[in-house]
Amino acid sequence: MRVFVTGGAGFIGSHTLVQLMRKGADVLSYDNYCNSSPEALSRVKRLAQSDLAIVEGDICDPGALERAMGDFKPDAVIHFAGLKAVGESAEKPLTYYKNNIAGSIALLEVMNKIGCSKIVFSSSATVYDPDKPFPFTEDTPLKAASTYGRTKHFIEDIIRDWSAATPGSSAAVLRYFNPVGAHASGDIGEDPVGIPNNLLPYISRVAQGSLKELQVFGDCYDTADGTGARDYIHVEDLAGAHLAALEYIAGAKGCETFNIGTGTATTVLAMIRAFEAATEQSVPYRITGPRAGDVSTTVANPSKAEQVLGWKAEHDIEAMCRSVWNWQVRNPNGYRTPE
């Protein structure tokens, strides 16, 4: 299978590339590196012991997309590319709407032009109404609490409408819960530009000493210890879900949605304790006010993915913490060369 991967150099994209290439897929990574590094792709090739096509480009550039996809002629697309910081999306809503939604429309239009009708889309659990009972199923009502989540919700609807209007098309929408972890080798991992927006990269940098302390946003939520609770999933499990989704859409028609999580929620303070236990490192923290767009708890009911895709998460919280610390120790500056 020939697979066109947008955002291939990113955190989830790079881990998925390794698994795809090890399965023998022909892959093209299309990325503008706004929140990633070309170095990740060099390491992907080394880990997979295989080569891949690489094009630097923006999903909001239809001409560049058409040239790359027209030359490559993919059988399917995995669409990771997009801006993803909840807090930033509240500050820059137009940037998020323009990049995420307009870029996805451009991608679908080019897919139509070149005759590619199969796509796996990287969505998010932030599309769900946080006031509804959890664990969330795929039928839980949607009401995103952030601009970022709304972009994902809109793109889901666009893909669903595109699929209904495109004969022979097949789409899998994967609603991620909270991806964490790193490759067992420690060669690829999460490397956000600037101050991390996600919990475990921030924790690991505090443990390393490059950040003073962790800010815990709120301790008055309706959870075991008052801090926000999330369904954390190891990135290697998440990458495996994409391979299962690709296999599914190869023989399916229409658009289906799948929760990709573990079914278990872990609070921020519990994650700090788990990280300290797994790594024997201290993580200083300070409680601050809640962050705009954050919710109390998100946790998946992932049974549909297990029943339909034959996929199930395998890594626990301890494995997630160990792999993150291994990545951090081996790459204290991420993919960047120390100054």
Side-chain angles (χ1 to χ4, degrees), residues 14-325:
S14 59
H15 289 78
T16 304
L17 289 179
V18 172
Q19 293 194 22
L20 282 170
M21 293 160 67
R22 285 182 171 174
K23 288 287 187 178
D26 292 325
V27 182
L28 186 150
S29 171
Y30 184 87
D31 203 311
N32 68 357
Y33 309 119
C34 73
N35 194 29
S36 61
S37 170
E39 172 62 21
L41 299 178
S42 297
R43 299 187 186 190
V44 162
K45 289 190 284 186
R46 184 168 69 245
L47 288 170
Q49 297 184 321
S50 182
D51 204 359
L52 77 159
I54 298 171
V55 174
E56 181 175 355
D58 195 309
I59 57 168
C60 292
D61 184 342
L65 267 175
E66 187 169 356
R67 288 190 295 274
M69 298 184 76
D71 291 343
F72 185 66
K73 297 179 176 58
D75 300 306
V77 170
I78 300 180
H79 181 26
F80 293 113
L83 301 176
K84 62 177 185 176
V86 169
E88 183 184 60
S89 74
E91 300 166 359
K92 302 177 180 179
L94 297 183
T95 300
Y96 271 67
Y97 286 125
K98 180 178 180 180
N99 184 87
N100 294 4
I101 297 175
S104 298
I105 291 172
L107 177 66
L108 292 169
E109 287 177 336
V110 172
M111 288 175 64
N112 283 345
K113 285 184 179 181
I114 68 165
C116 178
S117 59
K118 299 186 184 302
I119 186 171
V120 177
F121 173 56
S122 165
S123 191
S124 168
T126 58
V127 300
Y128 288 118
D129 183 343
D131 294 326
K132 297 302 179 183
F134 52 81
F136 299 140
T137 71
E138 289 80 1
D139 295 326
T140 295
L142 307 185
K143 185 182 178 182
S146 68
T147 300
Y148 163 71
R150 283 188 285 276
T151 68
K152 292 294 188 180
H153 184 178
F154 295 154
I155 297 165
E156 285 191 13
D157 285 345
I158 290 166
I159 290 175
R160 200 167 286 111
D161 290 343
W162 165 83
S163 180
T166 306
S169 67
S170 182
V173 171
L174 305 187
R175 290 177 180 157
Y176 308 165
F177 278 66
N178 287 74
V180 296
H183 193 271
S185 66
D187 285 346
I188 57 175
E190 188 170 7
D191 182 29
V193 175
I195 303 297
N197 287 295
N198 295 332
L199 179 61
L200 269 179
Y202 207 114
I203 285 178
S204 63
R205 292 190 187 182
V206 170
Q208 175 203 13
S210 60
L211 293 173
K212 180 181 178 181
E213 63 183 5
L214 172 71
Q215 294 184 66
V216 177
F217 296 104
D219 64 349
C220 56
Y221 291 113
D222 185 17
T223 63
D225 56 30
T227 62
R230 301 290 182 266
D231 187 339
Y232 294 97
I233 178 169
H234 198 293
V235 65
E236 287 284 83
D237 285 330
L238 183 52
H242 290 82
L243 271 67
L246 274 179
E247 184 176 347
Y248 168 78
I249 64 173
K253 296 291 186 294
C255 180
E256 286 289 341
T257 303
F258 301 95
N259 284 338
I260 306 298
T262 66
T264 301
T266 303
T267 66
V268 175
L269 293 184
M271 181 63 85
I272 293 171
R273 292 192 295 270
F275 184 91
E276 291 179 330
T279 66
E280 299 182 350
Q281 302 297 313
S282 176
V283 181
Y285 67 88
R286 174 170 54 91
I287 304 291
T288 67
R291 185 171 53 180
D294 277 350
V295 298
S296 172
T297 303
T298 56
V299 60
N301 177 338
S303 59
K304 181 179 177 181
E306 183 174 1
Q307 294 164 5
V308 178
L309 302 181
W311 171 90
K312 185 177 181 179
E314 298 177 355
H315 296 76
D316 60 17
I317 291 292
E318 181 182 357
M320 298 174 201
C321 291
R322 285 200 311 266
S323 66
V324 167
W325 185 237

